Amino acid sequence: MRAARLIRMILLLQSRRAMTADALAAELGVSARTVARDVEALSEAGVPVYADRGRTGGYRLVGGYRTGLTGLGRDEAEALFLSGVPTALRDMGLADAASAARLKVSAALRPDLSDAPLSAAQRFHLDAPGWWRPHTTPPLLPAVADAVWDDLLLNVDYARRDGAGVTRAVEPYGLVLKAGVWYLAARVVGGDGGRGVHRVYRVDRFTRAEAGDERFARDESFDLPGFWAERAAQFARSLLRERVDIRVTPAGARALPRVTDRDAAREALAAAGPPDGEGRTTLTLAVEALDVAEEQLRALGPECEVLGPPELRARMAEAARRTAALYGAAVPRAGQR
């Protein structure tokens, strides 16, 4: 991990000319004392890092020093930033570029650091797909990814959830891998050449994705992580169409965010009144559907009582009776054998 930090320090000083110890510490997530030790290590390794003393001083590279890492090609450099997501690299056809980038980085390291990439790879790994779901790569993902990389206008045929097909020209802004499913954030181009709002498309629902030579002017203010977080929150809220009234014990209140939608549970608890004389809290919870709510709330057992709607209360009561009958017949009472 220190090897990666030293490389990053060099690149920071190379790109920003000079930085204070505190600024480097903040960027690298370490203390100013660690920065000083790292600078000393770089100096001993022959990297010309110069320290300007004084209150306004800092560190800088001297003599026009440049690292060999600038020999990376553009595709290799971009792939390197995704090297912690091997599934994504493979799906987008960037595995070879990432491998070449890693080799160049390894070649630039000192001999005593040559095992750093392998050491890190054997200790940290991100597995993006979800559990119990076979991983399939959408066949058109590489073509979509190429359009995203090169800012190329993309003409697509898309199968909507209701089965209807639509044909659109879109500006592909970014790809998101969520629980093994690929999504494209894109802006629709209107028939008059005007721009529409950003939308989200599932890549596996594209039946055609063709890019020509026409490029679009990317809005540099577009923030893909922020956009995705907002849309994901909107999507999660759109699923919560039903409301149920429940009464929970303190233990049930603590467990509620773990078995239902976390945000919905926290909002319901925050809006609830004070506990009653038995210490139970009555609240109204937003849920996706009654079937889903039944499955989720049953996990709380006796820590949760469903008050309404009547249909759900009846189903919970029936499940409780069946459970009681099962254990009453199978488990002897205290003192019996």
Side-chain angles (χ1 to χ4, degrees):
M1 300 302 290
R2 190 190 187 198
R5 190 174 69 243
L6 293 174
I7 292 172
R8 189 178 176 196
M9 177 182 289
I10 296 174
L11 295 177
L12 283 169
L13 293 175
Q14 183 172 300
S15 62
R16 302 187 188 182
R17 306 296 182 184
M19 296 181 68
T20 66
D22 288 341
L24 278 170
E27 286 279 358
L28 300 172
V30 296
S31 66
R33 181 174 297 181
T34 298
V35 168
R37 287 198 295 265
D38 286 350
V39 167
E40 183 178 351
L42 289 174
S43 297
E44 291 175 354
V47 178
V49 183
Y50 179 77
D52 290 318
R53 304 298 179 185
R55 190 170 55 184
T56 60
Y59 298 103
R60 60 186 175 89
L61 296 172
V62 297
Y65 180 85
R66 305 287 295 178
T67 74
L69 293 176
T70 53
L72 290 174
R74 180 178 180 83
D75 59 339
E76 295 168 347
E78 290 171 335
L80 187 60
F81 286 102
L82 291 172
S83 59
V85 195
T87 302
L89 285 168
R90 184 175 61 250
D91 288 354
M92 290 189 292
L94 295 173
D96 290 342
S99 177
R102 286 192 294 269
L103 286 174
K104 289 185 177 182
V105 172
S106 298
L109 297 175
R110 300 200 323 263
D112 61 311
L113 301 178
S114 60
D115 65 337
L118 179 61
S119 176
Q122 294 301 324
R123 287 167 172 78
F124 302 98
H125 174 71
L126 175 60
D127 185 11
W131 290 103
W132 305 295
R133 176 185 296 174
H135 177 69
T136 57
T137 302
L140 295 177
L141 177 62
V144 174
D146 286 344
V148 170
W149 283 121
D150 296 329
D151 294 339
L152 294 174
L153 198 66
L154 194 61
N155 296 297
V156 300
D157 291 336
Y158 187 73
R160 298 191 312 197
R161 189 181 303 177
D162 59 7
V166 296
T167 298
R168 286 175 178 158
V170 300
E171 298 173 348
Y173 267 68
L175 285 164
V176 176
L177 178 60
K178 170 70 172 179
V181 180
W182 284 96
Y183 297 89
L184 174 69
R187 188 149 58 178
V188 179
V189 177
D192 58 355
R195 288 176 166 182
V197 298
H198 284 99
R199 301 178 184 273
V200 176
Y201 301 90
R202 279 186 59 143
V203 177
D204 58 5
R205 290 184 183 162
F206 285 130
T207 58
R208 180 179 68 95
E210 297 177 352
D213 297 326
E214 182 179 357
R215 295 180 181 274
F216 65 91
R218 175 179 287 268
D219 180 1
E220 297 301 332
S221 67
F222 177 75
D223 174 30
L224 180 61
F227 168 79
W228 177 257
E230 181 181 351
R231 286 303 176 93
Q234 291 176 358
F235 176 73
R237 285 182 176 277
S238 71
L239 296 177
L240 306 178
R241 302 185 180 92
E242 300 282 348
R243 299 291 185 273
V244 298
D245 297 320
I246 60 177
R247 198 162 67 111
V248 293
T249 64
R254 290 192 297 271
L256 191 62
R258 296 198 297 269
V259 300
T260 65
D261 181 87
R262 183 181 295 107
D263 291 335
R266 289 174 176 170
E267 290 177 6
L269 290 166
D276 59 22
E278 298 178 357
R280 294 175 176 259
T281 302
T282 299
L283 52 92
T284 299
L285 177 69
V287 297
E288 181 178 346
L290 295 186
D291 288 343
V292 175
E294 179 183 1
E295 180 179 351
Q296 293 173 337
L297 297 177
R298 281 173 62 178
L300 297 180
E303 310 302 329
C304 173
E305 177 189 1
V306 173
L307 305 177
E311 174 189 354
L312 179 59
R313 180 177 174 85
R315 285 156 59 174
M316 295 290 288
E318 174 60 22
R321 281 192 291 270
R322 291 172 55 194
T323 301
L326 176 66
Y327 283 98
V331 180
R333 295 176 181 271
Q336 295 182 347
R337 292 183 176 272

